[in-house]
Each structure stands twice: as C-alpha cells, then as structure tokens.
Amino acid sequence: MTDRSVPRAVRLTRPLAREVVKEVAKRYGVCIRPVAFQRLDTRTGRTEIVDVPCGATLESACPPCAKRNRQLRMAQCREGWHLDHEPASTPNEPNEEQRRLVEFRADVHAQQEAAGRAGQDSTGLDILAEGLDEEITKAGMRGHVTGRTTGRRVRSTRRRQDAPDLPKRKMAATTLGRTFTAPDGRVYRPSMFITLTLPSYGKVRDGVPLDPDTYDYRRAARDALHFSKLIDRFVQNLRRVAGYDVQYFATVEPQQRLAPHLHMAIRGTLPRAELKQIIAATYHQVWWPPTDTIRFEGVHLPLWQDGVGYLDPDTGEVLPTWDQALDQLDADDDAQPLHVVGFGEQHNIQSVLAGTPAAGKWLGYLTKYLTKSLADPLDAATDDQARRDHAARLVEALRFEPCSPTCANWLRYGIQPKNAKPGMQPGRCRGKAHKPGHLGYAGRRVLVSRKWSNKTLAEHRQDRRTWVLEALGHPDQPTDPHRYIWKPLPAGDANVPPLAVRLLRTVAERQRWRAHMNRLEQDLSAIGEEAA
Ligand SMILES: [Zn+2]
Ligand SMILES: [Zn+2]
C-alpha cells in the first residue's frame, strides 16, 4: 500500500514489498515461482488450490528450486559412482492401476506435443506430467514412460554410421567396474572423471575470438546443435571397448567461448590410452538434406495450402516433404552428410577413488553450473561488449540452421519440415536451440544412464522426503495415486491468491519445519550428553 504521507523520493528508495517477500522466500529455500494446481480429493470431495514448486520441471527452475535440484543431483551422482553391487532388478508385469496411470500420462504427453506445435506455453502441462511421472514411480514402475516419442525411420545400410576402428571386447553382463587388489590385500574400485570438449573454431582469448571474421561460427553452431548425438556415440563406443554396461552421470556445461562441453563421471575404469583412442575415433554424421541452396528468403516464402502443405509461390509446385527429402538423400550415391561432429583435442581424464577428497572435488565440478543457463558465462560479463558481440554472432549463425526435422528453417532450403503446419517462417523457429540462453544446445543438461543408481530424480526426492518426515516423527505413508485429481490453473485465475501471499504461507510452513528440526536436534544432543 502506498503511504502518501511519505515524500515520493523517500518512498522510491524503499524496497518493493513483493521483492522483499521473494528475498525472504529465497533465504528459506522456498520456490519463488510456484505453479498453482486445483487438487480434487476423491476421498473427501474437497477441492483445494495447491502450489507445486516450479523446480518439478528441471529446465526452467527458479533459483531456490535449482539449488534444491542441484543437491538432489549431487546425491544421485554420489550414489552411483562407486557402486559395488548391481543396481538393476527385473520388472514385474504392470497391474491395472499402473496401466491407467501410463495411459493418462500418454494423454498429457500428446497435449504437451500439441501445445509445442502450436507454440503455446505448456508449463502447466509439463508440471502435471512431472507429477504423474512421480505417481508412476510411486506406483512401483521404473523408467520414463515417454522414452523416444517417434518411430525411428529405417535407413538404408549405406547410411548407417560407420563403426570406428576400435578394439572390441566381449560384453560382460555387469554394470560394475574392475577391482584391483593391492599386495596388502586391500581392494580398490577406481572410477573415472572425464571432460570432453568440441574442436577449435579459431583462436580465442578470454572467450572471445581474436579474429571474428575467420572464426568458424557455422561449424560452432552445427557442433552445438548435434552435440547430444555425439555424446550418445561416445557412450556406445565406450561400452563396446570396455566390454561391460558402462554407467555414467554427465553434465553439459558452457565453456568461456560459449561452446558446450561435457563432464562425465564413469563407474569403473579403462586404460587412459584406450579412452584417448575412443575420444579420437568418435564422431557423428548428420544425414540431413543439403542446405547449400537458399530457395526462399525475405518476403519470397513458400505458401501454405490446407490439405496440401507448402507450395512454391511462383510455380505452385508442392515442396518435398521431410520423408521425401530423406528418400532422395538415400537414393543419391554421392550424397554427403550435412555435418560431421567430433570431439576436440582438449580433454581431461582422471582416476577417482571413492571417498577421497578428489572424488568430492570432481562431484562439485560436475554439478557446479547446474543452477545456471548455458549462456551464463555471458551474464557474468555483461559489461564486456566483445563477448556480447561474440554471442550475438553465434546466435545469428544459428538463426537459419535447421535445429531438428521439424524446424521451420527447412522451408528456406525448399523442404517441408516434418509435421509441417501453417504459419511456419524460416528464421523464426521456436526451438530452444536458437534461443540466446541455449546457444545451439537444446538437449538435457544432466545425462544419467539407466542403471546409474537405479533411481530417478523423483525417487531421490522421495528418499529425502521420507527422511525428513521420519525425523519429524511422521512415518511417510504410501499415498494412493488415485486419491487426487490434479488440474493446472491458468495464470491469473481469480481463485489463486497473489504470489506474495502464497510465498509467505510457504515460508511460514518452512519456518515451522525448521523450528521442529532444531528442537529435535537439541533433544538428540541432550540425550547424547546424558548418555556420556
Ligand atoms: Zn521454483
Ligand atoms: Zn529450429
């Protein structure tokens, strides 16, 4: 409320009440961008408005949620790195309830995709999906329901990625690394930490190209776009050479020069020389149609016709669809891949023993930037015009690069994007990869193999919840997944109280918890003293 008795100049120096509430919320680790849901309790018939932390969707978490997610990731990373027993288990047949949950989840997934295609905000759906994933996990199912979302195209053998020339061991049915026994009988189980980078695009100093005119922005853009595929290849090759089901926990982070690079914790160990060989031999070929010829640009763009697709505005010729373009590529014996991506010369390979200070150091390294976006080194240097110009040039290089088969940019090269729809414009693709905050890399920031700790982040979150509830003296009751029906509320819904009110409520709740935990701790230490 504005106090008119205070002069305006003085009023303006006072912090805004809402900002203060946000600061307080941050200090208590409370989500500052909660998403409101309507929750119907099917047992009582009562409807409530419930806040779900934004951090349930990892990519766009607020600072407190990002921090909590980072702690969960650290726990997850620590748990799998030096495991000495197999984490896998055989799944049971799904029951009726589990099937129903999965069907519901599939439905939400379809809605998410529809929203994505229409360029609509899908935050509410994303959170609903994440919540459902947790329910699915709680209902006793493993893994992620969506997996790969589209059927894979069967390609001719000629187009398969050539297998690199690497030694190949017989596969052992284990996810555990070798152990080494010292002369004194102690058994060591070493693991690894590696860092992989992309090649040089030109000399840089302090993250800025010395000569922007010769710096290969196009290659930098394409490498970033296809970096996640390169990582997949690396893991395939790693497993083939190692001869066991190698497990990893990896994070993709920005380098100063704004190229993505990879930190990876690996369970088990390989000889250094072999690893170097794998890094050098790993590459990924992008078998996409050529983009050498610009057919449409500026105001001269393909026209959409319902039921037909995109046409050449001059001739009325229907442009080849994505599948037709790929068929042409397959039929062309002289075709070259659009792009080939491989790693750079710079890498770092470390052996790590469980429980050593080095293990802790690398763990911190792995999760260091998880609370930041890929463009963050840029934010740290916003006063640096040279770096901003460098980033702008990279974003410009990404502008007309196709980021995926569904990218609107394919129209520029005379091809209808996969799932073409009206209103697509080259240079206006909404794909994450083109955005300044992503700099070409639209993949996941954290990559965890399936048998790392055999737990999803949701399960690690559940572990923590169970631990806190037990400490508070309330054993965690397994919840009936069908008790509640959740519905996302649109932003600005009249039933949702103002943000400040919601934040203050959550802070108050957090304070009560903290006070309780502190009392508990005091009681425990008092008992300890009595016993002594
Ligand atoms: Zn949040
Ligand atoms: Zn795109």
mmCIF file with all atom_site columns, all heavy atoms in Angstrom, residues 184-198:
data_model
loop_
_atom_site.group_PDB
_atom_site.id
_atom_site.type_symbol
_atom_site.label_atom_id
_atom_site.label_alt_id
_atom_site.label_comp_id
_atom_site.label_asym_id
_atom_site.label_entity_id
_atom_site.label_seq_id
_atom_site.pdbx_PDB_ins_code
_atom_site.Cartn_x
_atom_site.Cartn_y
_atom_site.Cartn_z
_atom_site.occupancy
_atom_site.B_iso_or_equiv
_atom_site.pdbx_formal_charge
_atom_site.auth_seq_id
_atom_site.auth_comp_id
_atom_site.auth_asym_id
_atom_site.auth_atom_id
_atom_site.pdbx_PDB_model_num
ATOM 1   N N   . ASP A 1 184 ? 48.829 -55.639 0.045   1.00 0.00 ? 184 ASP A N   1
ATOM 2   C CA  . ASP A 1 184 ? 48.380 -55.789 1.446   1.00 0.00 ? 184 ASP A CA  1
ATOM 3   C C   . ASP A 1 184 ? 46.957 -56.350 1.532   1.00 0.00 ? 184 ASP A C   1
ATOM 4   O O   . ASP A 1 184 ? 46.398 -56.442 2.624   1.00 0.00 ? 184 ASP A O   1
ATOM 5   C CB  . ASP A 1 184 ? 48.487 -54.443 2.185   1.00 0.00 ? 184 ASP A CB  1
ATOM 6   C CG  . ASP A 1 184 ? 47.518 -53.404 1.608   1.00 0.00 ? 184 ASP A CG  1
ATOM 7   O OD1 . ASP A 1 184 ? 46.792 -53.715 0.643   1.00 0.00 ? 184 ASP A OD1 1
ATOM 8   O OD2 . ASP A 1 184 ? 47.490 -52.270 2.129   1.00 0.00 ? 184 ASP A OD2 1
ATOM 9   N N   . GLY A 1 185 ? 46.366 -56.701 0.391   1.00 0.00 ? 185 GLY A N   1
ATOM 10  C CA  . GLY A 1 185 ? 45.053 -57.338 0.405   1.00 0.00 ? 185 GLY A CA  1
ATOM 11  C C   . GLY A 1 185 ? 43.894 -56.368 0.287   1.00 0.00 ? 185 GLY A C   1
ATOM 12  O O   . GLY A 1 185 ? 42.740 -56.779 0.146   1.00 0.00 ? 185 GLY A O   1
ATOM 13  N N   . ARG A 1 186 ? 44.179 -55.051 0.310   1.00 0.00 ? 186 ARG A N   1
ATOM 14  C CA  . ARG A 1 186 ? 43.071 -54.093 0.181   1.00 0.00 ? 186 ARG A CA  1
ATOM 15  C C   . ARG A 1 186 ? 42.553 -54.068 -1.250  1.00 0.00 ? 186 ARG A C   1
ATOM 16  O O   . ARG A 1 186 ? 43.333 -54.155 -2.200  1.00 0.00 ? 186 ARG A O   1
ATOM 17  C CB  . ARG A 1 186 ? 43.542 -52.686 0.575   1.00 0.00 ? 186 ARG A CB  1
ATOM 18  C CG  . ARG A 1 186 ? 43.489 -52.470 2.067   1.00 0.00 ? 186 ARG A CG  1
ATOM 19  C CD  . ARG A 1 186 ? 43.895 -51.065 2.418   1.00 0.00 ? 186 ARG A CD  1
ATOM 20  N NE  . ARG A 1 186 ? 42.900 -50.075 1.990   1.00 0.00 ? 186 ARG A NE  1
ATOM 21  C CZ  . ARG A 1 186 ? 43.053 -48.774 2.211   1.00 0.00 ? 186 ARG A CZ  1
ATOM 22  N NH1 . ARG A 1 186 ? 44.139 -48.313 2.793   1.00 0.00 ? 186 ARG A NH1 1
ATOM 23  N NH2 . ARG A 1 186 ? 42.116 -47.932 1.822   1.00 0.00 ? 186 ARG A NH2 1
ATOM 24  N N   . VAL A 1 187 ? 41.225 -53.944 -1.376  1.00 0.00 ? 187 VAL A N   1
ATOM 25  C CA  . VAL A 1 187 ? 40.612 -53.970 -2.703  1.00 0.00 ? 187 VAL A CA  1
ATOM 26  C C   . VAL A 1 187 ? 40.227 -52.539 -3.111  1.00 0.00 ? 187 VAL A C   1
ATOM 27  O O   . VAL A 1 187 ? 39.595 -51.820 -2.340  1.00 0.00 ? 187 VAL A O   1
ATOM 28  C CB  . VAL A 1 187 ? 39.364 -54.877 -2.705  1.00 0.00 ? 187 VAL A CB  1
ATOM 29  C CG1 . VAL A 1 187 ? 38.653 -54.820 -4.054  1.00 0.00 ? 187 VAL A CG1 1
ATOM 30  C CG2 . VAL A 1 187 ? 39.757 -56.308 -2.368  1.00 0.00 ? 187 VAL A CG2 1
ATOM 31  N N   . TYR A 1 188 ? 40.647 -52.145 -4.295  1.00 0.00 ? 188 TYR A N   1
ATOM 32  C CA  . TYR A 1 188 ? 40.310 -50.820 -4.806  1.00 0.00 ? 188 TYR A CA  1
ATOM 33  C C   . TYR A 1 188 ? 39.351 -50.939 -5.973  1.00 0.00 ? 188 TYR A C   1
ATOM 34  O O   . TYR A 1 188 ? 39.462 -51.850 -6.788  1.00 0.00 ? 188 TYR A O   1
ATOM 35  C CB  . TYR A 1 188 ? 41.580 -50.088 -5.259  1.00 0.00 ? 188 TYR A CB  1
ATOM 36  C CG  . TYR A 1 188 ? 42.496 -49.757 -4.117  1.00 0.00 ? 188 TYR A CG  1
ATOM 37  C CD1 . TYR A 1 188 ? 43.509 -50.634 -3.740  1.00 0.00 ? 188 TYR A CD1 1
ATOM 38  C CD2 . TYR A 1 188 ? 42.324 -48.582 -3.398  1.00 0.00 ? 188 TYR A CD2 1
ATOM 39  C CE1 . TYR A 1 188 ? 44.348 -50.341 -2.680  1.00 0.00 ? 188 TYR A CE1 1
ATOM 40  C CE2 . TYR A 1 188 ? 43.152 -48.273 -2.340  1.00 0.00 ? 188 TYR A CE2 1
ATOM 41  C CZ  . TYR A 1 188 ? 44.167 -49.159 -1.982  1.00 0.00 ? 188 TYR A CZ  1
ATOM 42  O OH  . TYR A 1 188 ? 44.983 -48.860 -0.934  1.00 0.00 ? 188 TYR A OH  1
ATOM 43  N N   . ARG A 1 189 ? 38.400 -49.993 -6.016  1.00 0.00 ? 189 ARG A N   1
ATOM 44  C CA  . ARG A 1 189 ? 37.436 -49.979 -7.108  1.00 0.00 ? 189 ARG A CA  1
ATOM 45  C C   . ARG A 1 189 ? 37.460 -48.579 -7.735  1.00 0.00 ? 189 ARG A C   1
ATOM 46  O O   . ARG A 1 189 ? 36.648 -47.722 -7.393  1.00 0.00 ? 189 ARG A O   1
ATOM 47  C CB  . ARG A 1 189 ? 36.052 -50.300 -6.546  1.00 0.00 ? 189 ARG A CB  1
ATOM 48  C CG  . ARG A 1 189 ? 34.961 -50.489 -7.593  1.00 0.00 ? 189 ARG A CG  1
ATOM 49  C CD  . ARG A 1 189 ? 33.618 -50.739 -6.927  1.00 0.00 ? 189 ARG A CD  1
ATOM 50  N NE  . ARG A 1 189 ? 33.551 -52.039 -6.290  1.00 0.00 ? 189 ARG A NE  1
ATOM 51  C CZ  . ARG A 1 189 ? 33.332 -53.172 -6.942  1.00 0.00 ? 189 ARG A CZ  1
ATOM 52  N NH1 . ARG A 1 189 ? 33.151 -53.162 -8.237  1.00 0.00 ? 189 ARG A NH1 1
ATOM 53  N NH2 . ARG A 1 189 ? 33.289 -54.310 -6.297  1.00 0.00 ? 189 ARG A NH2 1
ATOM 54  N N   . PRO A 1 190 ? 38.403 -48.328 -8.623  1.00 0.00 ? 190 PRO A N   1
ATOM 55  C CA  . PRO A 1 190 ? 38.522 -46.964 -9.160  1.00 0.00 ? 190 PRO A CA  1
ATOM 56  C C   . PRO A 1 190 ? 37.432 -46.630 -10.168 1.00 0.00 ? 190 PRO A C   1
ATOM 57  O O   . PRO A 1 190 ? 36.935 -47.511 -10.864 1.00 0.00 ? 190 PRO A O   1
ATOM 58  C CB  . PRO A 1 190 ? 39.899 -46.960 -9.830  1.00 0.00 ? 190 PRO A CB  1
ATOM 59  C CG  . PRO A 1 190 ? 40.182 -48.386 -10.141 1.00 0.00 ? 190 PRO A CG  1
ATOM 60  C CD  . PRO A 1 190 ? 39.416 -49.233 -9.161  1.00 0.00 ? 190 PRO A CD  1
ATOM 61  N N   . SER A 1 191 ? 37.072 -45.359 -10.189 1.00 0.00 ? 191 SER A N   1
ATOM 62  C CA  . SER A 1 191 ? 36.124 -44.837 -11.166 1.00 0.00 ? 191 SER A CA  1
ATOM 63  C C   . SER A 1 191 ? 36.811 -43.708 -11.918 1.00 0.00 ? 191 SER A C   1
ATOM 64  O O   . SER A 1 191 ? 37.970 -43.411 -11.656 1.00 0.00 ? 191 SER A O   1
ATOM 65  C CB  . SER A 1 191 ? 34.868 -44.337 -10.471 1.00 0.00 ? 191 SER A CB  1
ATOM 66  O OG  . SER A 1 191 ? 34.167 -45.422 -9.928  1.00 0.00 ? 191 SER A OG  1
ATOM 67  N N   . MET A 1 192 ? 36.083 -43.072 -12.838 1.00 0.00 ? 192 MET A N   1
ATOM 68  C CA  . MET A 1 192 ? 36.722 -42.039 -13.640 1.00 0.00 ? 192 MET A CA  1
ATOM 69  C C   . MET A 1 192 ? 35.911 -40.760 -13.706 1.00 0.00 ? 192 MET A C   1
ATOM 70  O O   . MET A 1 192 ? 34.694 -40.773 -13.553 1.00 0.00 ? 192 MET A O   1
ATOM 71  C CB  . MET A 1 192 ? 36.940 -42.552 -15.068 1.00 0.00 ? 192 MET A CB  1
ATOM 72  C CG  . MET A 1 192 ? 38.140 -43.455 -15.185 1.00 0.00 ? 192 MET A CG  1
ATOM 73  S SD  . MET A 1 192 ? 38.464 -43.851 -16.901 1.00 0.00 ? 192 MET A SD  1
ATOM 74  C CE  . MET A 1 192 ? 36.944 -44.565 -17.352 1.00 0.00 ? 192 MET A CE  1
ATOM 75  N N   . PHE A 1 193 ? 36.644 -39.688 -13.962 1.00 0.00 ? 193 PHE A N   1
ATOM 76  C CA  . PHE A 1 193 ? 36.031 -38.395 -14.248 1.00 0.00 ? 193 PHE A CA  1
ATOM 77  C C   . PHE A 1 193 ? 36.679 -37.878 -15.521 1.00 0.00 ? 193 PHE A C   1
ATOM 78  O O   . PHE A 1 193 ? 37.900 -37.793 -15.595 1.00 0.00 ? 193 PHE A O   1
ATOM 79  C CB  . PHE A 1 193 ? 36.284 -37.418 -13.102 1.00 0.00 ? 193 PHE A CB  1
ATOM 80  C CG  . PHE A 1 193 ? 35.798 -36.036 -13.395 1.00 0.00 ? 193 PHE A CG  1
ATOM 81  C CD1 . PHE A 1 193 ? 34.476 -35.690 -13.148 1.00 0.00 ? 193 PHE A CD1 1
ATOM 82  C CD2 . PHE A 1 193 ? 36.639 -35.068 -13.929 1.00 0.00 ? 193 PHE A CD2 1
ATOM 83  C CE1 . PHE A 1 193 ? 34.015 -34.416 -13.438 1.00 0.00 ? 193 PHE A CE1 1
ATOM 84  C CE2 . PHE A 1 193 ? 36.184 -33.798 -14.217 1.00 0.00 ? 193 PHE A CE2 1
ATOM 85  C CZ  . PHE A 1 193 ? 34.867 -33.467 -13.968 1.00 0.00 ? 193 PHE A CZ  1
ATOM 86  N N   . ILE A 1 194 ? 35.862 -37.587 -16.536 1.00 0.00 ? 194 ILE A N   1
ATOM 87  C CA  . ILE A 1 194 ? 36.461 -37.072 -17.763 1.00 0.00 ? 194 ILE A CA  1
ATOM 88  C C   . ILE A 1 194 ? 35.753 -35.805 -18.233 1.00 0.00 ? 194 ILE A C   1
ATOM 89  O O   . ILE A 1 194 ? 34.583 -35.574 -17.929 1.00 0.00 ? 194 ILE A O   1
ATOM 90  C CB  . ILE A 1 194 ? 36.452 -38.106 -18.917 1.00 0.00 ? 194 ILE A CB  1
ATOM 91  C CG1 . ILE A 1 194 ? 35.033 -38.527 -19.265 1.00 0.00 ? 194 ILE A CG1 1
ATOM 92  C CG2 . ILE A 1 194 ? 37.269 -39.333 -18.566 1.00 0.00 ? 194 ILE A CG2 1
ATOM 93  C CD1 . ILE A 1 194 ? 34.985 -39.443 -20.466 1.00 0.00 ? 194 ILE A CD1 1
ATOM 94  N N   . THR A 1 195 ? 36.500 -34.973 -18.945 1.00 0.00 ? 195 THR A N   1
ATOM 95  C CA  . THR A 1 195 ? 35.943 -33.759 -19.549 1.00 0.00 ? 195 THR A CA  1
ATOM 96  C C   . THR A 1 195 ? 36.243 -33.804 -21.037 1.00 0.00 ? 195 THR A C   1
ATOM 97  O O   . THR A 1 195 ? 37.393 -34.064 -21.419 1.00 0.00 ? 195 THR A O   1
ATOM 98  C CB  . THR A 1 195 ? 36.572 -32.498 -18.919 1.00 0.00 ? 195 THR A CB  1
ATOM 99  O OG1 . THR A 1 195 ? 36.244 -32.485 -17.526 1.00 0.00 ? 195 THR A OG1 1
ATOM 100 C CG2 . THR A 1 195 ? 36.018 -31.237 -19.557 1.00 0.00 ? 195 THR A CG2 1
ATOM 101 N N   . LEU A 1 196 ? 35.218 -33.603 -21.852 1.00 0.00 ? 196 LEU A N   1
ATOM 102 C CA  . LEU A 1 196 ? 35.388 -33.626 -23.310 1.00 0.00 ? 196 LEU A CA  1
ATOM 103 C C   . LEU A 1 196 ? 34.946 -32.289 -23.902 1.00 0.00 ? 196 LEU A C   1
ATOM 104 O O   . LEU A 1 196 ? 33.952 -31.715 -23.460 1.00 0.00 ? 196 LEU A O   1
ATOM 105 C CB  . LEU A 1 196 ? 34.543 -34.745 -23.918 1.00 0.00 ? 196 LEU A CB  1
ATOM 106 C CG  . LEU A 1 196 ? 34.858 -36.163 -23.429 1.00 0.00 ? 196 LEU A CG  1
ATOM 107 C CD1 . LEU A 1 196 ? 33.848 -37.147 -24.021 1.00 0.00 ? 196 LEU A CD1 1
ATOM 108 C CD2 . LEU A 1 196 ? 36.265 -36.566 -23.799 1.00 0.00 ? 196 LEU A CD2 1
ATOM 109 N N   . THR A 1 197 ? 35.685 -31.819 -24.883 1.00 0.00 ? 197 THR A N   1
ATOM 110 C CA  . THR A 1 197 ? 35.359 -30.523 -25.499 1.00 0.00 ? 197 THR A CA  1
ATOM 111 C C   . THR A 1 197 ? 35.130 -30.695 -27.002 1.00 0.00 ? 197 THR A C   1
ATOM 112 O O   . THR A 1 197 ? 35.438 -31.730 -27.567 1.00 0.00 ? 197 THR A O   1
ATOM 113 C CB  . THR A 1 197 ? 36.522 -29.525 -25.321 1.00 0.00 ? 197 THR A CB  1
ATOM 114 O OG1 . THR A 1 197 ? 37.661 -30.056 -25.992 1.00 0.00 ? 197 THR A OG1 1
ATOM 115 C CG2 . THR A 1 197 ? 36.834 -29.291 -23.863 1.00 0.00 ? 197 THR A CG2 1
ATOM 116 N N   . LEU A 1 198 ? 34.621 -29.645 -27.617 1.00 0.00 ? 198 LEU A N   1
ATOM 117 C CA  . LEU A 1 198 ? 34.482 -29.603 -29.075 1.00 0.00 ? 198 LEU A CA  1
ATOM 118 C C   . LEU A 1 198 ? 35.761 -28.997 -29.675 1.00 0.00 ? 198 LEU A C   1
ATOM 119 O O   . LEU A 1 198 ? 36.570 -28.408 -28.956 1.00 0.00 ? 198 LEU A O   1
ATOM 120 C CB  . LEU A 1 198 ? 33.240 -28.780 -29.442 1.00 0.00 ? 198 LEU A CB  1
ATOM 121 C CG  . LEU A 1 198 ? 31.910 -29.524 -29.208 1.00 0.00 ? 198 LEU A CG  1
ATOM 122 C CD1 . LEU A 1 198 ? 30.726 -28.573 -29.266 1.00 0.00 ? 198 LEU A CD1 1
ATOM 123 C CD2 . LEU A 1 198 ? 31.748 -30.655 -30.216 1.00 0.00 ? 198 LEU A CD2 1
#
